[in-house]
């Protein structure tokens, strides 16, 4: 039942809604600039989350999230199967299976996934990853990522954030 009070409260709050919407969108972007991990899961064709989730290193460049992964990893297989939608949470909660769903309280994004095959883009993203993870084992993983992209044992996935 709509009351006079609900109409007055609604009319009072209505001008603030665009600001709240912008703030909600800004929080994940700010978190993407500082976090070392994203947690992600592909979405099935019916919109449900996959049982498979992971915490993963990423690069955030020009509004897109990039990850490097083996081509047989479920996140890459999902893209190959046409399951291009994904849900991402931004933050650091340790291994997802042990995180007790804590990552679900983190800023959440929906994204559209596609393989990134342009060698120039891959090189730029690897440089960003190298800067970001310089003290986190990049001396080992950087070589694996670079060589893997060259020999096909790794792929790069671009997650384009859906507004």
């Amino acid at each position: 039942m709509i009351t006079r009070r609900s109409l007055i409260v609604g009319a009072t709050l209505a001008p603030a809604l665009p600001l709240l919407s912008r703030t909600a969108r800004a929080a994940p972007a700010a978190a993407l600039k500082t976090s070392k991990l994203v947690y992600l899961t592909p979405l099935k064709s019916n919109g449900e989350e996959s049982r498979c989730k992971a915490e993963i290193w990423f690069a955030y460049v020009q509004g897109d999230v990039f990850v490097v992964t083996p081509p047989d990893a479920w996140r890459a297989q999902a893209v190959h199967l046409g399951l291009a939608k994904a849900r991402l949470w931004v933050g650091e909660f340790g291994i997802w299976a042990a995180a007790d769903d804590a990552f679900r309280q983190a800023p959440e994004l929906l994204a559209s996934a596609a393989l990134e095959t342009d060698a120039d883009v891959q090189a730029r993203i690897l440089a960003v990853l190298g800067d970001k993870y310089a003290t986190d084992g990049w001396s080992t993983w950087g070589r694996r990522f670079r060589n893997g992209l060259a020999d096909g044992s790794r792929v790069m996935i671009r997650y384009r954030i859906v507004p």
Side-chain angles (χ1 to χ4, degrees), residues 81-93:
L81 293 171
L83 300 174
K85 296 205 184 303
R87 181 167 288 129
L88 292 83
W89 297 270
V90 187
E92 299 172 44
F93 303 94

Side-chain angles (χ1 to χ4, degrees), residues 67-82:
V67 303
V68 178
T69 191
D72 59 350
W74 53 266
R75 53 194 158 268
Q77 288 299 309
V79 175
H80 287 296
L81 293 171

Side-chain angles (χ1 to χ4, degrees), residues 23-129:
T23 302
R25 285 194 306 269
L32 284 165
K33 292 176 183 174
T34 59
S35 180
K36 294 273 188 158
L37 296 174
V38 290
Y39 294 71
L40 60 88
T41 186
L43 298 179
K44 298 177 187 177
S45 58
N46 65 3
E48 291 180 16
E49 292 176 10
S50 164
R51 287 182 294 122
C52 302
K53 295 172 182 61
E55 71 288 345
I56 191 166
W57 283 3
F58 71 98
Y60 179 59
V61 177
Q62 297 180 332
D64 293 339
V65 173
F66 295 84
V67 303
V68 178
T69 191
D72 59 350
W74 53 266
R75 53 194 158 268
Q77 288 299 309
V79 175
H80 287 296
L81 293 171
L83 300 174
K85 296 205 184 303
R87 181 167 288 129
L88 292 83
W89 297 270
V90 187
E92 299 172 44
F93 303 94
I95 298 171
W96 78 269
D100 202 26
D101 276 353
F103 61 89
R104 291 188 182 279
Q105 303 308 310
E108 180 181 309
L109 301 158
L110 290 177
S112 175
L115 294 179
E116 179 56 66
T117 58
D118 183 294
D120 292 336
V121 173
Q122 289 179 347
R124 283 197 326 266
I125 299 306
L126 289 174
V128 171
L129 288 166

